[in-house]
Amino acid sequence: MSATNLFDLTGKVALVTGASRGIGESIAKALAAYGAHVIVSSRKAEACETVVAAIKAAGGSAEARACHIGELAQIEALFQAIESTHGRLDILVNNAATNPYFGPILDTDLSSFQKTLDVNIRGYFYSSVHGAKLMAKNGGGSIINVASVNGVIPGDGQGIYSITKAAVISMTQAFAKECAGSGVRVNALLPGATDTKFAAALVQNEAVLKRLMPHVPMRRVAQPGEMAGAVLYLASNAASYTTGTCINVDGGYLIG
Ligand SMILES: NC(=O)c1ccc[n+]([C@@H]2O[C@H](COP(=O)([O-])OP(=O)(O)OC[C@H]3O[C@@H](n4cnc5c(N)ncnc54)[C@H](OP(=O)(O)O)[C@@H]3O)[C@@H](O)[C@H]2O)c1
C-alpha cells in the first residue's frame, strides 16, 4: 500500500444510516468523494435522493434506500437488498440516532426510554450484526459507530440518550474483539456539539452555549463536515491496524 492511496475507497460499498442531512450527509459525501459507492439511508427516501443527486453531480456513485433503524424488519430488508444488489459491504457507518426526551432523568417516560433504546442501541446492534456477517464473506470491512461525547460525560437533561451512547462505545469494543478474526474492524466517532438539526436546541440556544463553551477549549461548536475526516480515516486502509478505538472530534471537550 503506497502512502498516496491510503484513503482510496475505489470499489468499496458503504452504507451510511441517517445520511439525509447533518453529520451522516457529510460522511456520505466524503466517502463518495474518495471513491466508494455509497448507500444513503434514512427514514425518508426522498431526502436521501437529494443527497444521492448531490453526490452524483460531484462525480460520485450513490443510491438511496429508506430504512427506519428502530424497525428490525426494515434493517433485515436493507441488508438483504444490499447483499442481493452488491454481494458485498465494505463500510458501515451507524449514524442514525434519536433523542426524543430532554429533561430530568427521573421523569423519563417509558415510551421515550424505549424509542431511544430501540434506535440507538438495538438499531446499531442489529445493523452491526448484519453488516459484520456480510463483510466477513468478502474478507472483512470497517464498521464506524457514531457515538457521542455524552457517552463519556452525560449531557445535561440527556440522561437516556447519554446511556445509549455509552452502550455504543461498549458495543464498539465488544464487536471489535469478536470480529477482528474475520477482518472486520469496529471503531467509534465521538462528536462534540455539532451544528445540526438534531442539536439545534443546544447549539442555537445562547444560554446553553454560554454554559457549554467554557468547557470546550476551541470555544466553538463543530460544523457537520468536520466529522467526516475521522470517519474517512477509520473506513480506509489508513486505519488497517486500528480497531476498538474511539476518536473524539470535540474541540477538546473531553480533556476535561
Ligand atoms: N449534532 C450533535 O451535536 C451531535 C453530537 C454528538 C453525537 N451526535 C450523533 O451524530 C449522529 C447524527 O446526528 P446529527 O446531529 O447529524 O442529526 P440530524 O442532522 O438530525 O440527522 C439525523 C439523521 O438521521 C436520520 N434518522 C433519524 N431517526 C432515524 C431512524 N429512526 N432511522 C433511520 N434514520 C433516522 C434523519 O433522517 P430522516 O428524518 O429522514 O430519517 C437524518 O438523516 C447521531 O448518532 C447523533 O447522536 C450528534
Side-chain angles (χ1 to χ4, degrees):
M1 188 199 318
S2 89
T4 51
N5 66 4
L6 274 177
F7 299 98
D8 184 19
L9 301 178
T10 305
K12 306 286 186 194
V13 175
L15 166 64
V16 184
T17 69
S20 64
R21 61 172 186 264
I23 292 170
E25 177 184 2
S26 76
I27 291 169
K29 287 179 172 172
L31 298 181
Y34 278 79
H37 172 79
V38 180
I39 298 152
V40 176
S41 187
S42 86
R43 290 166 299 184
K44 300 182 194 100
E46 210 174 295
C48 294
E49 291 290 4
T50 305
V51 175
V52 167
I55 288 174
K56 288 183 175 169
S61 173
E63 69 189 74
R65 289 203 184 262
C67 178
H68 188 315
I69 290 299
E71 302 289 339
L72 291 183
Q74 292 193 30
I75 293 176
E76 191 129 321
L78 173 64
F79 281 89
Q80 268 170 11
I82 292 170
E83 183 160 18
S84 62
T85 308
H86 300 284
R88 64 185 297 139
L89 182 68
D90 304 285
I91 299 158
L92 164 63
V93 183
N94 283 314
N95 169 75
T98 191
N99 189 9
Y101 173 73
F102 278 91
I105 195 165
L106 300 186
D107 295 336
T108 310
D109 65 280
L110 187 58
S111 120
S112 300
F113 176 88
Q114 196 60 53
K115 186 178 175 198
T116 314
L117 264 65
D118 287 353
V119 177
N120 298 9
I121 301 182
R122 196 181 66 183
Y124 275 45
F125 182 85
Y126 280 104
S127 297
S128 298
V129 168
H130 288 294
K133 285 181 178 171
L134 187 48
M135 287 174 186
K137 289 185 183 175
N138 284 297
S142 173
I143 297 176
I144 297 119
N145 293 320
V146 179
S148 169
V149 293
N150 288 355
V152 179
I153 300 174
D156 292 343
Q158 300 174 67
I160 184 57
Y161 171 78
S162 300
I163 289 166
T164 64
K165 291 301 186 177
V168 168
I169 293 170
S170 177
M171 193 187 308
T172 300
Q173 295 166 339
F175 274 78
K177 248 185 171 175
E178 290 206 25
C179 298
S182 52
V184 178
R185 296 182 295 102
V186 189
N187 294 286
L189 169 76
L190 273 57
T194 307
D195 189 6
T196 66
K197 185 177 173 198
F198 191 81
L202 304 177
V203 300
Q204 286 168 23
N205 180 319
E206 282 305 320
V208 172
L209 283 181
K210 214 172 159 191
R211 277 202 306 277
L212 178 64
M213 280 308 122
H215 303 286
V216 180
M218 290 181 74
R219 304 280 183 266
R220 65 175 178 85
V221 300
Q223 291 306 306
E226 294 184 278
M227 299 299 144
V231 175
L232 176 63
Y233 163 69
L234 293 170
S236 71
N237 268 334
S240 57
Y241 196 57
T242 301
T243 198
T245 198
C246 295
I247 298 188
N248 311 330
V249 182
D250 64 349
Y253 173 73
L254 286 180
I255 296 168

